[in-house]
Amino acid sequence: MSQSDWGDWLLREIESTTPEDLTVWYLGCNGFVVKASDDTTVFIDPYLGTGDPPRTVRMIPVPFDPTAVRAADAVLATHEHTDHVHGPSQGPLLSATGANFYAPDDSLAVVENESWQEKYQLEGDFVEVNEGDTIEIGGLTVHVEPANDPDATHPVSYVIEYDGWTFFHGGMPDREQHSRRWVQPTTSILVPSRSEASE
């Protein structure tokens, strides 16, 4: 596992922040942390490796050591590629927090093939998700939607709703072919959806 150049300041910032509604932090690659005002905290595709050029190139430093995470309710994976399902990044995070892991079948197959539960002594649940599913994580409502990554075997995207706010994570969408149902061409966006937000 690579070492963080940033120490643990980002994690402590996330822990100490009390959002007014929904707050999002970027972790590099396709990773994000989403935290709601009820303290529900979800990590999406947290990859803390240094990359594997030319396929994966890390553009910012590794933001933290996964063993230093103290608060997480869930980890969501969008598809089976290493920079989205990564044992050395996500196993210690799940172990430290007891968070549940939500992912499509091919991503869960990676977890099983790499023996995460035994290797990292994990106690949280591993939950298979499919397009059309809706799951509740704390105060968050998470809709599992189709994704279009031609290099993945079973990609999904996530639409996270909370108190009138929506966060969309498209995984690694093909921008030319990605579904226009939620947003295009951005990978992730936070959108106010209540009427008073436009006043």
Side-chain angles (χ1 to χ4, degrees), residues 39-101:
D39 283 335
T40 301
T41 305
V42 173
F43 288 72
I44 307 169
D45 288 346
Y47 173 69
L48 305 172
T50 56
D52 185 19
R55 187 191 180 309
T56 303
V57 178
R58 183 163 199 94
M59 302 300 284
I60 67 169
V62 174
F64 54 82
D65 180 329
T67 62
V69 178
R70 295 192 293 227
D73 296 289
V75 173
L76 307 179
T78 58
H79 62 280
E80 76 283 354
H81 293 157
T82 300
D83 54 330
H84 301 263
V85 177
H86 187 243
S89 298
Q90 297 161 6
L93 188 159
L94 294 166
S95 179
T97 63
N100 294 331
F101 186 79

Side-chain angles (χ1 to χ4, degrees), residues 25-33 43-47 83-84 169:
W25 290 267
Y26 177 58
L27 304 178
C29 293
N30 289 293
F32 289 87
V33 177
F43 288 72
I44 307 169
D45 288 346
Y47 173 69
D83 54 330
H84 301 263
H169 191 297

Side-chain angles (χ1 to χ4, degrees), residues 98-167:
N100 294 331
F101 186 79
Y102 296 85
D105 54 356
D106 291 347
S107 299
L108 291 177
V110 171
V111 170
E112 185 175 333
N113 291 339
E114 294 179 357
S115 304
W116 285 21
Q117 288 182 299
E118 296 79 24
K119 185 183 284 186
Y120 302 107
Q121 301 176 353
L122 302 178
E123 296 180 14
D125 292 331
F126 290 82
V127 181
E128 182 178 332
V129 299
N130 289 289
E131 299 86 340
D133 289 350
T134 297
I135 51 179
E136 302 292 331
I137 303 170
L140 302 176
T141 300
V142 181
H143 304 282
V144 183
E145 297 291 333
N148 186 0
D149 181 343
D151 296 327
T153 57
H154 187 187
V156 298
S157 61
Y158 296 104
V159 177
I160 300 174
E161 296 178 319
Y162 180 79
D163 195 28
W165 291 87
T166 301
F167 177 78

Side-chain angles (χ1 to χ4, degrees), residues 8-25 33-41 70-71 162:
D8 68 353
W9 74 265
L10 180 61
L11 289 175
R12 302 302 80 93
E13 174 72 20
I14 293 167
E15 289 171 4
S16 66
T17 297
T18 303
E20 289 184 30
D21 34 58
L22 200 62
T23 300
V24 179
W25 290 267
V33 177
V34 178
K35 185 175 182 181
S37 60
D38 70 351
D39 283 335
T40 301
T41 305
R70 295 192 293 227
Y162 180 79

